[in-house]
Amino acid sequence: MYYEFYIDVFFVVNLVMDFLLLRLINRVLKGTATPLRSLAGAALGAAGICVITLLPLSSPYVRVLLSHGILGVLMVWVGCCCRSWRKLVTGLLLLYGFSFLTGGILTALPGSTKEGLLTFCFITTATYWILILGMRLLEYLKGKSSAICEVTIFAGGKSVKVKGLYDTGNRLRDTLTRKPVSVVEYGRFEELLGDDQKASFERLLGGTGSTEDICAQSVLAFHPHYISYRSVGQENGLMLAVTVDELYVSAGEEGSVVKHAVLGLAGNQLSTAGNFQIIVNPCIVNAEQYGVLHS
């Protein structure tokens, strides 16, 4: 009994598989490797496995060490542009994991459907896109859950922490400065105020404030003024806005510091369930021209 071994077909099969695996790994690692770089890593892996297969090695353990150890590390290092040991090890584990997934899908298919090089490439590419779509779905669901963030407001030497909702639909801007405006519940903002300041702000918020309230020395530091806005059920409304010393928006390990952020004060509760107390304007954490410093 013997087998016919076509080295060219073996090379192409491994080249296709390795390229798709390296593109998946690069996506998970959020790497900067180009498709051409991944192709170079895949070519290295395909050529390497061909050489290892043809080598007269008596020990299967040496063959496994060369193919799944050294060759795998070289593939990930070249094909994914890994510059740290941590990323390299993570990439190697992902290589084994994705290989297991793709191999499992191919094994589950009937033998008659895997005959022929073109059929194999088609099935492999389809498997790749199934994994990509699954990853995109997970990223979307993760993005939905991470819409809630931690926000710390600093003003007058005091600070208050609130839960924020990262709302891409909030496009409110300051009428005077054109800065993006986030909206916070007054009940949480007043924790930054002294008793004399609270009285003035409550009158301004209720629409009964006077010039004396705006020009009071203790209140003037917040630069209170009114801005116009539109919302559902409110075509032309006025909202009291203030400027705070600093706003820190954090989501997980990442955060953004916004100097002299403008906040609109809402007299009512923003969330009926109390899930958040401030609606974060997306521009303050996405656009550097508004004074955003990424940590």
Side-chain angles (χ1 to χ4, degrees):
M1 184 177 180
Y2 69 94
Y3 294 96
E4 292 183 351
F5 181 74
Y6 298 96
I7 192 67
D8 54 345
V9 175
F10 188 65
F11 175 82
V12 172
V13 167
N14 280 278
L15 180 69
V16 173
M17 283 291 295
D18 292 345
F19 174 75
L20 296 180
L21 289 172
L22 289 174
R23 294 312 297 165
L24 285 170
I25 296 168
N26 187 65
R27 181 181 180 87
V28 174
L29 294 178
K30 294 181 172 60
T32 57
T34 62
L36 190 61
R37 179 93 184 198
S38 298
L39 183 61
L44 174 65
I49 197 66
C50 288
V51 172
I52 292 170
T53 303
L54 296 175
L55 285 176
L57 299 174
S58 57
S59 174
Y61 299 107
V62 176
R63 196 181 298 275
V64 170
L65 176 64
L66 290 174
S67 58
H68 296 289
I70 298 174
L71 189 59
V73 171
L74 290 174
M75 275 178 54
V76 174
W77 181 63
V78 173
C80 296
C81 237
C82 294
R83 293 187 175 88
S84 66
W85 281 106
R86 183 179 178 181
K87 270 199 170 185
L88 189 61
V89 172
T90 305
L92 192 61
L93 294 175
L94 288 171
L95 177 65
Y96 296 144
F98 284 133
S99 298
F100 176 78
L101 286 175
T102 53
I105 293 175
L106 289 172
T107 305
L109 295 173
S112 58
T113 62
K114 295 179 283 186
E115 296 179 355
L117 182 59
L118 290 178
T119 305
F120 170 81
C121 291
F122 173 78
I123 294 173
T124 305
T125 305
T127 303
Y128 166 79
W129 281 108
I130 289 172
L131 293 174
I132 284 289
L133 291 174
M135 289 164 60
R136 287 182 177 176
L137 178 61
L138 289 175
E139 289 173 358
Y140 171 76
L141 294 175
K142 182 181 178 182
K144 294 290 284 184
S145 63
S146 63
I148 300 296
C149 53
E150 293 281 348
V151 180
T152 307
I153 308 171
F154 298 89
K158 297 181 180 180
S159 66
V160 59
K161 286 187 177 182
V162 294
K163 290 285 186 180
L165 173 67
Y166 184 86
D167 184 11
T168 55
N170 179 12
R171 297 299 177 184
L172 184 61
R173 290 187 178 275
D174 190 346
T175 312
L176 297 176
T177 64
R178 301 306 300 164
K179 285 185 176 182
V181 178
S182 299
V183 181
V184 65
E185 294 177 0
Y186 174 73
R188 298 309 307 273
F189 171 77
E190 70 172 353
E191 296 178 25
L192 301 169
L193 305 176
D195 293 336
D196 56 335
Q197 294 171 318
K198 289 180 182 179
S200 296
F201 268 105
E202 286 172 3
R203 287 192 291 270
L204 290 171
L205 194 65
T208 60
S210 62
T211 306
E212 287 77 11
D213 290 314
I214 294 178
C215 296
Q217 191 65 33
S218 59
V219 174
L220 197 58
F222 289 94
H223 306 288
H225 59 284
Y226 292 97
I227 59 174
S228 59
Y229 72 96
R230 291 182 180 181
S231 64
V232 179
Q234 184 71 51
E235 193 64 27
N236 292 300
L238 286 177
M239 179 182 293
L240 180 63
V242 295
T243 301
V244 296
D245 297 335
E246 189 176 287
L247 202 68
Y248 180 71
V249 184
S250 63
E253 297 180 355
E254 298 181 354
S256 299
V257 178
V258 188
K259 301 289 187 180
H260 309 299
V262 179
L263 299 179
L265 303 182
N268 55 341
Q269 195 174 6
L270 295 176
S271 168
T272 54
N275 296 330
F276 56 89
Q277 297 82 42
I278 183 172
I279 299 176
V280 179
N281 192 307
C283 293
I284 68 172
V285 291
N286 284 341
E288 292 183 357
Q289 61 265 37
Y290 296 115
V292 178
L293 304 174
H294 295 284
S295 62

